[in-house]
Amino acid sequence: MADEAVAARPAEPAAPKAKEARSPEAPPRGGGRGDDRAKDAPERPDAPEPTDTSDSADDEAGEREKERERAADRFKDRTRDPLTEEEGEEGPTDAAAAARARREGQKLLSSNRDLIGFDRSDIGQVHIGDINVRLDALRSGLLMRDGPVPAEELLRIRRTHIEPDGYVRLRRALEARRLLVLGGAPGTGRASTALALLEEVTRAGEGRENSERVRRADPARGVRELATQVAGGTGGHPRGTGYLLEPALDRPGTLPPDGMDLDQLASALAEQGSYAVVVVSVGSAANPLLAGRYGAICPPAPTRELVAVRLRQRLEEEHGDPVRGGGAGGPGGGDGRGPRDGDGSRDAGGGRDRNGGAHRDRGRDEHADRDGGEGRDRDGSPDGGGDGRRDGDGGRGRDGRAGRDGGRSGDRPGRGAGPDGDGSLSLLLERAAELREDPEVTEAVGLDDLRPAEAELFASLLAGHLRGTVSRAELLSGCRGLAAVQAYEWFAGVDRALAAPPPGDGRTPVRSGTAALFHPVAFRIALAVLGGASHSAVSAAAHLLTWELSVQSDPDSTPARPLFCDDPEADLALSRARPADGVVDVAGSEVTGRLIFYRGSALPAAVLAELWDRHFPVRAPVVRWLRLLADDPRPQVSMRAAVAAGELSVRDFEHGYAELIRPLAEAPTPRRRVFAATALDQAAGHASHRRAVRKVVDNWSLHGTPAQRWTAAMALGYGRCADSMDDTLDTLAEIGVRDDGEQLAVASLNVVRLLTLPECATVLRRLAAWTGHRREEYQDLALVSIVRLALTDVDEVLDDEPGTPLGDRGDWPLLLALAATRPELTGKLADLFWTALNTARSRDVALDALETLLRSASRKDGRAWTREGLAALLPALTAEEQDRRRLDWLLRRMMRDQDRPLAEERARALWRLAVPARQRRSEEEESHG
């Protein structure tokens, strides 16, 4: 395009004449603004020069020009980002990352786990239908005193124990060294595996004739005293005895045994022909033991086999109709998978051979050797969880019908025992396989893998439902209770050991161990709040909470925690967590990171419910911790914490409002106020609290402080804090126009956020009405919202997942995305943007926004970007001659831009998008092709 042609154009776009609107809901183009219309009408470039040359006329014209400039400056100031008001913060906030973090946090806590079918006040016992399961053994800190293991328990373990991966290798290590330090997370079956190992090696050793050949050692005495006892032959224990020791290493000040202690014990065991297994929890205290020559990790038993065996047991107890090969309780019993090989070397109950021998077949041993390593499972993780899909709830049934007819079978309790069934055990097992794959049952369990006690209860529930003694509602309720029981186990009596006396082994603890005691608990809470965030973010938040818990528990001491004793793998194992590769938002870009999740969708909500409902003293440090997270500049932390704060407020709204929501809503920084608004919206998502939340927002918008009104506006932008869309817009307008538009920026931002909701047509109609309002504040609210609509990307305001029409256009300006996906709204959108372009105080900002839209037609590499949206919007925006003149002038200005010149080819393409061929004038055709 020639420079002479550009120079011939006006320096300002020509003002179009007013005409009637084509859309009945939209304001007349250039009209509908009352007296303000004349005041804000832009100067015509062809207007005649004033004839009055008096000084007063010049002064008056100069004042009018200055007033227009001031009005334009005020308008531009109102289009700023209201989230960047913090002192010293000038860059844009990452609203897109915040929206994604909020969405992901809501998914983790959307399982409605607060409705559980048994009394949480007496969680030591679960009674569902005719099933009565005691859970006392799950409680942390309940350790067995020394004494012989009853023969009945050894027989049960021999028949029903499911061998974990690498079992043969563990047995060989015990036989070779006489001592094995077995590490694992509590509840994963490590003690049962230890008893199975001791039962097997002692049955083949010197103590085979001894009925009390396996004993539990007193955990309070420790390794040293056990070595002295074995070496001296005190206690009357015969040769060949197997000892199970579970030392209490989690007590503050307790020091683990060292290598010399273990060597002394191994030597004493060898002299007596005995064996010992020391069971420890993975973690910093036990890591030196597990890294030594006696240490090994105990993988958990496979969940599918656990459930299959327990379920068969339950059905056989009632049915008495064993299938081919016998039941799980007898020799040669099956586990629903048929005999493993021809010699019957393994049964369902524990892998023993038919003659009661202790040795597996050679093929099993060779397979175990290939397992190799340091006792870890196949994926190398110490908890043996793999990918979390090995259990009976996550896989497919035998016929591949995971949930097609499982729901129907679940709705017919008692068919196997009723008159319409043949009553055979095989039929019940087939129906049980279908039922445990039922999607509703799987969702109710909410755990990726089941531990032995959980498999026991789950099998009892399934068997009870099949026998007709447990209804489907009770079945689902009991399944939901599994996660709650795990959360109870994690928190019950954690700090009871603080009141216990120090160990009497002659060694003095160096420092208080409160931080080491509370860290696993803090990590579980942090994971419940920040699940899906990066592992480093969760770990850092856990250390902050560890400090708060330690100070609350012992305010007179400074918490001390070693800096180099963390074990990320132990944190995962102790918290039933899994890592995953994913993306993390950093400064507006997505980078690869290591994320962390619970192994089960039910655990986050269960942990928060247990924490808030049963442990009131812990609320104060958790509230302080959440306030710290509210200040975190990373959206993946602050927004997830806000969602969790909303869920905690639902469980006790009085406390949550007083301690979290209201203080943060009155904070001076926008980040804290956004936290409070997000928590309010999360509470409004629960029907039980929606009315209360709406009352709070209404009171703040009418009678609150400026900070509270700001927070109310942000909460309204989510669309759930008012009775209807009209009420939401009314309230936002009241906030925006009050005090000469002091809160107009935040009000307009949230009007734009509402345009991503299904009722966006209502929002556009209200914007059209505001442009014709008598008060300038309402006009400005509409105009600022229109300009912001063109400058806001979809990702910054959208709650939808990718895969929706808007979600797939996340990096598009919202105005163009709506024009492309909602063609019925294109006319209204064009009319509103035309009004902003033809109003004096908003013209400059609107023109800049239009330039931004035009430059987004294609990406830097030439690929199409928002061309589809521009093709829908531009023809409606340039229907008149003066509109086309303005576009022609703007394209010329963009081509002459010295910093970012627009290529002539792209300018021609944009012109053709906007102007049909029959409407192009010869001069413009020559300039734009």
Side-chain angles (χ1 to χ4, degrees), residues 668-692:
T669 59
R671 186 174 289 124
R672 284 195 162 201
R673 298 198 294 265
V674 170
F675 185 100
T678 304
L680 272 177
D681 171 74
Q682 187 67 19
H686 295 257
S688 58
H689 289 71
R690 193 166 298 146
R691 182 177 179 182

Side-chain angles (χ1 to χ4, degrees), residues 866-878:
T866 65
R867 181 183 178 88
E868 179 187 0
L870 288 169
L873 180 69
L874 288 179
L877 192 62
T878 58

Side-chain angles (χ1 to χ4, degrees), residues 402-646:
R404 186 171 60 187
D405 52 3
R408 293 198 300 270
S409 71
D411 288 328
R412 299 193 299 268
R415 174 180 170 186
D420 58 343
D422 60 10
S424 67
L425 181 58
S426 59
L427 178 60
L428 285 177
L429 290 173
E430 290 178 2
R431 291 187 55 227
E434 295 178 352
L435 180 59
R436 72 180 186 182
E437 305 294 347
D438 184 338
E440 192 174 9
V441 173
T442 301
E443 191 279 333
V445 171
L447 299 172
D448 292 348
D449 41 40
L450 297 180
R451 293 179 171 179
E454 296 163 350
E456 185 89 14
L457 179 56
F458 182 52
S460 299
L461 291 168
L462 293 177
H465 183 64
L466 293 173
R467 296 196 308 264
T469 58
V470 174
S471 67
R472 186 171 181 85
E474 290 176 323
L475 168 67
L476 297 177
S477 178
C479 290
R480 293 187 184 101
L482 294 175
V485 172
Q486 173 65 95
Y488 172 81
E489 173 196 347
W490 278 341
F491 290 100
V494 167
D495 54 354
R496 186 179 298 120
L498 291 176
D505 58 1
R507 291 178 294 177
T508 302
V510 179
R511 306 190 71 171
S512 173
T514 54
L517 180 69
F518 286 127
H519 180 70
V521 176
F523 190 88
R524 292 160 188 156
I525 298 173
L527 184 56
V529 172
L530 304 179
S534 64
H535 194 168
S536 60
V538 174
S539 182
H543 282 291
L544 285 177
L545 182 56
T546 299
W547 175 276
E548 295 292 344
L549 295 174
S550 301
V551 170
Q552 185 77 12
S553 175
D554 188 7
D556 296 331
S557 302
T558 300
R561 179 168 179 79
L563 299 179
F564 298 98
C565 290
D566 275 3
D567 185 353
E569 297 300 329
D571 288 339
L572 297 178
L574 293 174
S575 300
R576 298 183 75 160
R578 62 177 177 87
D581 292 333
V583 295
V584 180
D585 291 292
V586 179
S589 302
E590 292 184 350
V591 297
T592 303
R594 186 173 189 255
L595 311 183
I596 183 172
F597 300 86
Y598 267 118
R599 289 186 179 274
S601 60
L603 287 172
V607 165
L608 295 183
E610 172 70 20
L611 177 74
W612 221 241
D613 293 349
R614 297 179 59 86
H615 304 282
F616 295 104
V618 84
R619 288 187 177 187
V622 169
V623 164
R624 294 195 299 268
W625 174 67
L626 288 173
R627 290 181 181 178
L628 291 174
L629 298 187
D631 293 326
D632 196 294
R634 295 169 294 180
Q636 65 163 328
V637 174
S638 58
M639 294 304 291
R640 283 181 168 89
V643 171

Side-chain angles (χ1 to χ4, degrees), residues 29-110:
R29 287 200 166 186
R33 299 180 56 78
D35 297 335
D36 182 68
R37 194 183 348 164
K39 177 178 67 175
D40 282 340
E43 295 285 346
R44 292 285 301 269
D46 54 350
E49 292 294 330
T51 59
D52 187 359
T53 59
S54 65
D55 292 342
S56 60
D58 290 341
D59 293 343
E60 184 177 350
E63 284 299 321
R64 285 199 301 268
E65 181 63 26
K66 291 180 181 179
E67 178 58 31
R68 280 194 292 269
E69 292 177 357
R70 286 193 292 267
D73 290 340
R74 287 195 301 269
F75 184 89
K76 185 176 182 179
D77 185 60
R78 287 171 172 174
T79 61
R80 72 191 188 283
D81 186 353
L83 304 181
T84 59
E85 293 178 358
E86 295 185 19
E87 183 177 356
E89 183 177 350
E90 297 179 355
T93 56
D94 196 349
R100 283 191 290 270
R102 172 179 171 270
R103 185 167 61 240
E104 292 166 2
Q106 286 179 323
K107 285 194 299 184
L108 288 178
L109 296 174
S110 63

Side-chain angles (χ1 to χ4, degrees), residues 256 267 316 329 333 371 375 398 408 528 540 542 561 563 572 582 686 704 715 775 840 900:
S267 176
E316 286 180 348
D371 242 359
R398 282 176 284 183
R408 293 198 300 270
R561 179 168 179 79
L563 299 179
L572 297 178
H686 295 257
R775 292 182 57 184
R900 300 173 58 199

